[in-house]
Amino acid sequence: MIALPRVEHRSVDVAGVQVFYRESVPDRADAPVLLLLHGFPSASHQFRRLIDVLGSRYRLIAPDYPGFGHTVAPADFEYTFDRLADVVEGFLERLDVRRFAMYVFDFGAPVGFRIATRHPEWIAGLVVQNGNAYEAGLSDGAKEFTALTPEQPGAEETIRGLLTLEGTRGQYEHGVTDPTRIAPESWTLDQHFLDLPGRKEAQVALAFDYKSNVAEYPEWQAWLRKYTPPALITWGANDPFFPAPGAHAYLADLPDAELHLFDTGHFALETHLDDIAPLIANLLEKLRN
């Protein structure tokens, strides 16, 4: 018999933000919990296939941040990574989820590591997939991009160039050896949300705030060294923004982490779900035991 999970789609109010999330209902009430923190320019829908594969055995919870997906934020919401973390923290408190493994991808790393440093007792394990926490993991292009300031001539135009359909598609296809493994609705759905009123302005604000994450790298690394959570590192080695040295860098602070590099780009789950999902299941089984 094929085991497929029941997946529920709900919204919850967190300080005026209507946070949309999708959640699997596993067979056992005591199943390990995996918080799925999405990246840019996507939302919780990027985890749909992973939830279908693992959701019958584990409780997978995937929220959309303010400025992404189906989440609705007030017009005066301040788009910074601190505020995204505030909302996700409040979301977890509203759901009374206080112990979980955390999957951090891209923007999910700065959101997730902020939560981890605030609540180290919440984190039972860690899955890192192209979620950077080290300067070694920033490409030259990424360093230039994250250094942009609002006062710099042409800076906003540079950021907005990523928010087009061509830019969004490129993030999925760059570094991928077999583009036929990527569903085209991935980038078209992302672009639908990017084109909603106010969304591009939100992304510009977050892009200018990205340097705040780089400033916090030492704090996140200190957290990793102190708490050494069981960790799985999976990485698309051809990521133009977060190259493979960013994956290897984790081993300095998590020497017992399991590391797997894949010959693909930024959105590694799109092309290597069949490789990555069993690795995640192995980690969650260790947490169950």
Side-chain angles (χ1 to χ4, degrees):
M1 179 180 294
I2 299 175
L4 290 175
R6 184 171 93 242
V7 181
E8 299 176 345
H9 306 82
R10 304 179 184 275
S11 292
V12 62
D13 184 277
V14 178
V17 178
Q18 299 301 313
V19 179
F20 171 86
Y21 66 102
R22 57 193 79 219
E23 176 180 1
S24 67
V25 180
D27 298 332
R28 293 175 49 174
D30 63 346
V33 178
L34 179 62
L35 175 68
L36 301 170
L37 296 177
H38 68 80
F40 164 84
S42 196
S44 63
H45 57 259
Q46 77 169 82
F47 296 115
R48 286 174 298 174
R49 294 177 65 213
L50 182 66
I51 292 172
D52 283 342
V53 171
L54 298 182
S56 64
R57 296 162 58 191
Y58 313 105
R59 184 183 178 193
L60 274 59
I61 305 172
D64 292 349
Y65 315 138
F68 296 80
H70 294 285
T71 287
V72 180
D76 61 350
F77 186 86
E78 181 185 11
Y79 288 95
T80 67
F81 284 91
D82 280 343
R83 291 292 292 122
L84 296 191
D86 291 344
V87 170
V88 175
E89 179 184 16
F91 164 77
L92 293 167
E93 291 172 337
R94 285 296 308 272
L95 268 61
D96 196 26
V97 174
R98 308 299 175 98
R99 187 67 174 169
F100 51 87
M102 186 169 64
Y103 184 120
V104 296
F105 164 68
D106 188 56
F107 276 20
V111 172
F113 284 130
R114 279 173 168 83
I115 292 169
T117 55
R118 297 174 189 179
H119 301 282
E121 74 281 2
W122 287 5
I123 311 303
L126 190 61
V127 180
V128 181
Q129 190 255 294
N130 294 76
N132 195 50
Y134 297 85
E135 290 203 33
L138 294 172
S139 67
D140 290 341
K143 291 176 181 176
E144 293 175 5
F145 187 85
T146 57
L148 294 173
T149 63
E151 300 78 20
Q152 187 174 341
E156 182 168 337
E157 289 75 12
T158 297
I159 295 167
R160 286 181 176 270
L162 280 179
L163 309 179
T164 63
L165 181 60
E166 180 182 8
T168 302
R169 179 173 181 173
Q171 292 191 65
Y172 278 87
E173 293 188 332
H174 190 103
V176 173
T177 56
D178 183 6
T180 66
R181 299 188 68 177
I182 303 178
E185 60 267 23
S186 299
W187 64 77
T188 54
L189 183 55
D190 284 356
Q191 194 63 41
H192 161 76
F193 288 117
L194 278 174
D195 289 340
L196 293 178
R199 291 295 179 89
K200 288 187 170 67
E201 289 72 20
Q203 298 304 329
V204 169
L206 288 169
F208 282 132
D209 188 55
Y210 199 91
K211 59 181 62 65
S212 71
N213 302 325
V214 180
E216 292 201 18
Y217 284 176
E219 182 179 359
W220 303 346
Q221 294 160 19
W223 179 86
L224 292 167
R225 287 193 300 273
K226 180 176 181 179
Y227 294 99
T228 58
L232 167 67
I233 302 164
T234 71
W235 209 274
N238 308 327
D239 188 331
F241 207 80
F242 300 137
H248 290 285
Y250 278 94
L251 298 180
D253 298 313
L254 296 174
D256 295 328
E258 185 178 346
L259 171 62
H260 297 265
L261 297 179
F262 298 100
D263 185 15
T264 192
H266 186 61
F267 285 91
L269 271 183
E270 293 290 318
T271 57
H272 287 72
L273 175 69
D274 54 336
D275 296 303
I276 295 173
L279 297 172
I280 296 173
N282 288 340
L283 176 68
L284 294 177
E285 284 302 312
K286 292 176 184 177
L287 299 181
R288 189 199 298 273
N289 299 328

